[in-house]
Amino acid sequence: MSRSYDRRAVWGWALYDWANSVYTTIIVTFIYGIFFKDFIVGDDIIGQSLWTRGVTVTGLVVAVTSPFLGALADRGGIRRPLLMTSTAMCIILTGLLYFAGAGEVMLALTLFVVSNIFYEWCGVFYNSYLPSLAPPDRIGRISGYGWALGYAGGLLLTGIVFVVLVIPETPPFGLDPDTGQHIRLITLLVAAWFAVFSIPMFRWVKEPAAVEPRPAVKEVVSEAREQVVSTFHRIRAGYVDIFRLLIARMFYNDGLVTVFAVGPLFMSDVFDLELEQVLYWGLGVQVAAGFGAFLMGFLDDRLGGKRTVLVTVLGLMVGGIWAVTTTSLTSVYVAGFWVGIFVGPNQAASRSLLGRFVPRAKETEFYGFFAVSGKAIAFAGPFLYGEITRLTGNARYGMATIIVFFVIGGLLLLTVDESRGIAVREAEDAALTH
């Protein structure tokens, strides 16, 4: 039987996904990156190179800093202030992108990189609330609620700005297309959306009571640094299933990163699609991902996180093979939707599976390492895609590399023992309460 839980807190937490996902959907993936390349830089090759370098810098910074910030939040009892600060900084810097015009490359790139770093840090602190909000038999569906709302929020705002500001040849409201004002305005809308819909998180979600005394402020930084090193060694030795999950996720998540990073390029190159057609394809994938995250959250609670992730990895492998072998435009659209169905639940079930393993006193720190597992080799898939495509002259061979990442990740995930991981967490939590 499920223990009781605060439904308003759960919805406040899930709405934060609705709030922040518009950033990654619009700024990172679909609209602003293309605007940066085409308008601010004005050169396809240089623009793509600078943008991918910016994304790489983000990944490196997040990978290096996330475990320390997680430990700092846990040891200092400042998870909530850190989440609020990261949220505010991401919102402010996103809004400032409005002021970067044509030729102001370094201004736009710097604002993007720093805002993206703060966005990723938000995820470290935000994700760590999940284990304390969700009872064990509902953690999968609650994680799925968040991912589903995230996809829905990103889809809704993307659809609105696409129809109102991107498609019309003459922008509305007297906006000047010569200065890119209609696209720059989108950054303000993203910032406002993020700001408004993050409020329930901070009003409805309370910080759980500390399970141990907090050190003095002057001791927090040094203890956090020592704790990162200690926890890394303990993960390898004492939390073997967390360690195996994180290693497995490094590979299968890199396949996902590659899908989103180069999927639009693959569709454009192989099937000669225009930008508008690629965006329609992307929006369709978002819809499928949202439905998948919502529906398969229930499967997660019934089958367990490990089995759910394995199902999604298998589905992604099938979708990848389908996409790289089909020659039909209709078929590749369907393959994209098929992949989308498994993308959301893969991410949601990975997050909830870690939540089943994490001791209460180290939630934020362990989710810091979770962030590292998502970034550590995230450059490898896009790099292999580009190099193999360049060497063979065929983007199908480049895209086929994602299948290798899914296979390796799935095989490594088979070594995770979910029951053992839960038992280790329960034993440590029990020891802390006595």
Side-chain angles (χ1 to χ4, degrees):
M1 180 178 293
S2 171
R3 65 174 170 84
S4 61
Y5 62 99
D6 187 340
R7 285 176 170 78
R8 189 171 76 156
V10 167
W11 281 109
W13 178 85
L15 280 170
Y16 190 87
D17 249 327
W18 167 279
N20 76 352
S21 292
V22 298
Y23 177 87
T24 189
T25 302
I26 292 176
I27 303 297
V28 180
T29 305
F30 287 118
I31 295 177
Y32 192 80
I34 297 172
F35 176 73
F36 174 83
K37 171 179 68 72
D38 292 344
F39 185 86
I40 294 178
V41 178
D43 183 284
D44 283 352
I45 302 300
I46 296 175
Q48 288 187 61
S49 176
L50 289 173
W51 188 259
T52 54
R53 289 178 187 177
V55 173
T56 300
V57 169
T58 296
L60 291 173
V61 171
V62 171
V64 170
T65 58
S66 292
F68 173 76
L69 288 173
L72 187 66
D74 284 335
R75 295 301 298 156
I78 54 174
R79 173 172 61 176
R80 189 180 187 87
L82 287 174
L83 176 59
M84 294 180 72
T85 300
S86 299
T87 300
M89 290 303 299
C90 182
I91 290 168
I92 291 168
L93 293 166
T94 301
L96 290 175
L97 283 171
Y98 173 83
F99 298 100
E104 296 179 303
V105 176
M106 288 311 300
L107 174 61
L109 192 60
T110 301
L111 288 172
F112 164 68
V113 169
V114 181
S115 67
N116 200 19
I117 290 170
F118 278 110
Y119 170 82
E120 295 289 349
W121 284 343
C122 287
V124 174
F125 309 123
Y126 164 70
N127 286 335
S128 69
Y129 280 86
L130 177 61
S132 59
L133 287 174
D137 62 340
R138 291 180 180 269
I139 193 171
R141 72 190 68 180
I142 289 173
S143 181
Y145 292 159
W147 279 111
L149 280 175
Y151 282 116
L155 176 67
L156 178 59
L157 188 59
T158 302
I160 291 171
V161 300
F162 189 56
V163 171
V164 176
L165 296 173
V166 177
I167 291 180
E169 293 185 10
T170 303
F173 317 122
L175 298 171
D176 185 4
D178 293 334
T179 62
Q181 192 178 21
H182 59 309
I183 304 299
R184 292 189 291 118
L185 179 64
I186 294 173
T187 66
L188 296 178
L189 295 176
V190 170
W193 181 286
F194 195 172
V196 170
F197 290 109
S198 65
I199 292 173
M201 172 73 193
F202 300 110
R203 289 183 62 88
W204 298 348
V205 180
K206 307 302 181 184
E207 191 70 28
V211 296
E212 60 183 24
R214 300 301 184 184
V217 174
K218 63 181 181 180
E219 302 173 4
V220 169
V221 173
S222 61
E223 288 197 10
R225 184 172 57 250
E226 293 171 3
Q227 186 172 325
V228 169
V229 177
S230 173
T231 301
F232 176 74
H233 291 297
R234 289 185 67 199
I235 286 175
R236 293 183 61 188
Y239 301 102
V240 62
D241 294 297
I242 290 180
F243 181 73
R244 291 176 178 179
L245 169 61
L246 296 179
I247 297 298
R249 183 173 180 263
M250 284 173 56
F251 287 92
Y252 67 71
N253 189 73
D254 196 36
L256 289 182
V257 169
T258 307
V259 168
F260 283 102
V262 304
L265 295 176
F266 173 79
M267 295 291 289
S268 177
D269 290 347
V270 175
F271 294 93
D272 197 27
L273 300 186
E274 299 294 332
L275 173 61
E276 187 172 321
Q277 294 172 295
V278 173
L279 287 175
Y280 285 136
W281 170 80
L283 291 174
V285 173
Q286 291 283 107
V287 172
F291 277 114
F294 178 78
L295 295 174
M296 293 188 76
F298 295 90
L299 184 67
D300 184 349
D301 289 330
R302 183 173 293 273
L303 295 182
K306 174 185 172 180
R307 290 178 180 174
T308 301
V309 176
L310 284 171
V311 168
T312 64
V313 170
L314 180 60
L316 291 166
M317 288 169 50
V318 171
I321 295 171
W322 185 351
V324 299
T325 56
T326 185
T327 57
S328 164
L329 179 58
T330 301
S331 182
V332 81
Y333 264 97
V334 176
F337 301 153
W338 171 271
V339 167
I341 289 171
F342 294 101
V343 165
N346 178 276
Q347 295 167 315
S350 297
R351 177 169 68 181
S352 64
L353 181 56
L354 180 64
R356 292 181 170 97
F357 294 165
V358 172
R360 279 188 297 160
K362 296 181 175 65
E363 288 167 348
T364 318
E365 183 181 2
F366 276 56
Y367 275 100
F369 282 99
F370 187 71
V372 173
S373 75
K375 298 295 181 184
I377 62 168
F379 63 89
F383 174 78
L384 285 175
Y385 170 86
E387 288 304 300
I388 292 176
T389 299
R390 180 180 65 83
L391 291 172
T392 63
N394 190 330
R396 293 182 186 274
Y397 292 125
M399 184 58 79
T401 58
I402 66 170
I403 300 167
V404 176
F405 287 100
F406 291 139
V407 169
I408 294 174
L411 291 174
L412 290 172
L413 189 63
L414 288 172
T415 67
V416 174
D417 186 329
E418 186 168 357
S419 297
R420 181 177 59 193
I422 292 172
V424 170
R425 185 261 302 165
E426 289 176 342
E428 181 156 337
D429 285 349
L432 287 173
T433 58
H434 290 89

